[in-house]
């Protein structure tokens, strides 16, 4: 009795143990809890922001290949390969900065070269800009801008063709004519109703230039310069070559356009094409006939693809060795602008044909990406 009520007497040993027991249990419980807690995961390293070279300047920041784990042996093998394939210029951007920039023979950073059909992707973006400005609607019939009788089709069939069909290569006009570049009405004959057949046909595409001119009231070159070229610091001019209208520029200008595509139509914080619905449609399957084609833009990673001049639907991706999310502007004689969002990479190539003369897609695409795959490590 006195033991529990006297504060002056020393506590027996067993009582001290009892009094310490709750503290001991709590300590054990806390210790158990801590050991079963998940190990804190450090926050992910933030992705570097995309770099944009200044407009009106030749300066362009670089990244050392070594910092990305790219070896000299891999790169030297790549350069040797490119040289054997008649390459004139080759650039790789990572996060917007130049990692690789190589020129071959007498070609330099200031040399100009043609884009061939890689320029189609620029036209697709310009068409989107014209729609964003309310100058045209891609769902409108083409004859609204070019006038009735721009083809030799009956009016009812001609009026089925819209700007969207020109963007997606589904005009239904016959590409098996003596000159599929010819834009005269006599060369534009009926093959199928618009939207029911995919065929890589230059003439309906080329006439998009006239559509944009009609809608904007200024020349195609002037519209390109005002809406894209000058805003992103490109050089470049469209020149007539027979029926075709061909873009010429320096390699770095091609790389600037690739960077604009990588950033979904924005140059740094400056919106160039700010219609995200249109841009997403440009870089995704635009119709069900050729899954690997957007708005005048080639798409990788789809289950099937079609190729220029053929009506065959092939199984598998367009470029099996490349990342599935790659999309590209591809031109005759292997003019290339590859964009890989998952890698934040742009690759451009200018030059003579790397082998067989083919329109847009060629065996060079898969060969080149076979070389790039171990370097990029995807």
């Amino acid at each position: 009795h006195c033991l529990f009520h006297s504060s002056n007497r020393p506590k027996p040993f067993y009582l001290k143990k009892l009094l310490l027991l709750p503290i001991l249990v709590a300590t054990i419980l806390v210790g158990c809890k801590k050991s079963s807690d998940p190990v804190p995961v450090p926050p992910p390293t933030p992705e570097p922001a995309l770099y944009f070279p200044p407009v009106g300047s030749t300066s362009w920041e670089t990244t050392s290949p070594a910092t990305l784990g790219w070896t000299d042996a891999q790169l030297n093998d790549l350069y040797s390969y490119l040289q054997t394939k008649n390459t004139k210029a080759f650039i790789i951007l990572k996060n917007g900065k130049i990692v690789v920039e190589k020129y071959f023979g007498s070609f330099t950073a200031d040399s100009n070269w043609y884009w061939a059909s890689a320029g189609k992707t620029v036209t697709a973006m310009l068409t989107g800009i014209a729609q964003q400005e309310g100058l045209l609607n891609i769902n409108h019939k083409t004859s609204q801008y070019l006038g009735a009788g721009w083809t030799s089709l009956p009016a009812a069939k001609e009026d089925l063709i819209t700007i969207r069909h020109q963007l997606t290569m589904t005009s239904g006009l016959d590409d098996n004519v003596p000159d599929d570049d010819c834009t005269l009405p006599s060369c534009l004959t009926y093959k199928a109703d618009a939207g029911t057949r995919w065929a890589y046909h230059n003439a309906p595409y080329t006439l998009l230039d006239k559509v944009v001119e009609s809608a904007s009231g200024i020349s195609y070159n002037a519209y390109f310069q005002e809406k894209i070229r000058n805003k992103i610091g490109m050089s470049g001019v469209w020149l007539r070559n027979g029926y075709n209208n061909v873009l010429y520029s320096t390699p770095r200008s091609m790389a600037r356009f690739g960077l604009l595509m990588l950033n979904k139509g924005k140059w740094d914080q400056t919106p160039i094409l700010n219609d995200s619905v249109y841009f997403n449609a440009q870089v995704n399957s635009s119709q069900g006939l050729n899954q690997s084609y957007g708005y005048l833009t080639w798409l990788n990673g789809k289950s099937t693809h079609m190729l220029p001049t053929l009506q065959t639907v092939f199984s598998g991706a367009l470029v099996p060795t490349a990342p599935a999310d790659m999309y590209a502007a591809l031109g005759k004689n292997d003019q290339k602008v590859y964009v890989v969002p998952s890698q934040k990479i742009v690759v451009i190539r200018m030059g003579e044909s790397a082998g067989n003369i083919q329109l847009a897609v060629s065996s060079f695409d898969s060969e080149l990406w076979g070389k790039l795959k171990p370097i990029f490590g995807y």
Side-chain angles (χ1 to χ4, degrees), residues 101-164:
E101 183 175 24
K102 289 288 285 184
Y103 300 101
F104 300 87
S106 59
F107 206 83
T108 71
D110 298 321
S111 299
N112 284 281
W113 195 249
Y114 64 88
W115 290 42
S117 286
K120 285 180 166 71
T121 305
V122 180
T123 295
M125 183 173 282
L126 273 176
T127 304
I129 293 168
Q131 177 173 262
Q132 145 186 313
E133 294 185 330
L135 301 177
L136 58 78
N137 185 319
I138 65 168
N139 295 311
H140 286 168
K141 59 187 180 182
T142 301
S143 56
Q144 186 171 325
Y145 304 90
L146 299 184
W150 67 277
T151 70
S152 61
L153 276 58
K157 296 299 185 184
E158 182 178 276
D159 284 347
L160 295 177
I161 303 172
T162 65
I163 297 172
R164 185 189 293 274

Side-chain angles (χ1 to χ4, degrees), residues 47-54 59-65 67-68 70 90-101 252 255-256 258-260 262 267 343-348 376:
E47 277 283 319
L50 279 181
Y51 163 82
F52 292 84
S59 64
W60 197 319
E61 289 186 16
T62 62
T63 295
S64 161
T67 62
L68 301 173
W70 303 359
F90 190 80
I91 297 175
I92 301 175
L93 307 181
K94 174 75 171 180
N95 295 314
K97 296 182 180 180
I98 293 175
V99 189
V100 167
E101 183 175 24
R252 281 191 173 192
R256 281 178 182 259
L259 183 53
L260 176 65
L262 177 62
W267 186 258
Q343 299 274 326
K344 298 291 191 290
I345 274 177
V346 173
V347 179
I348 74 106
F376 295 162

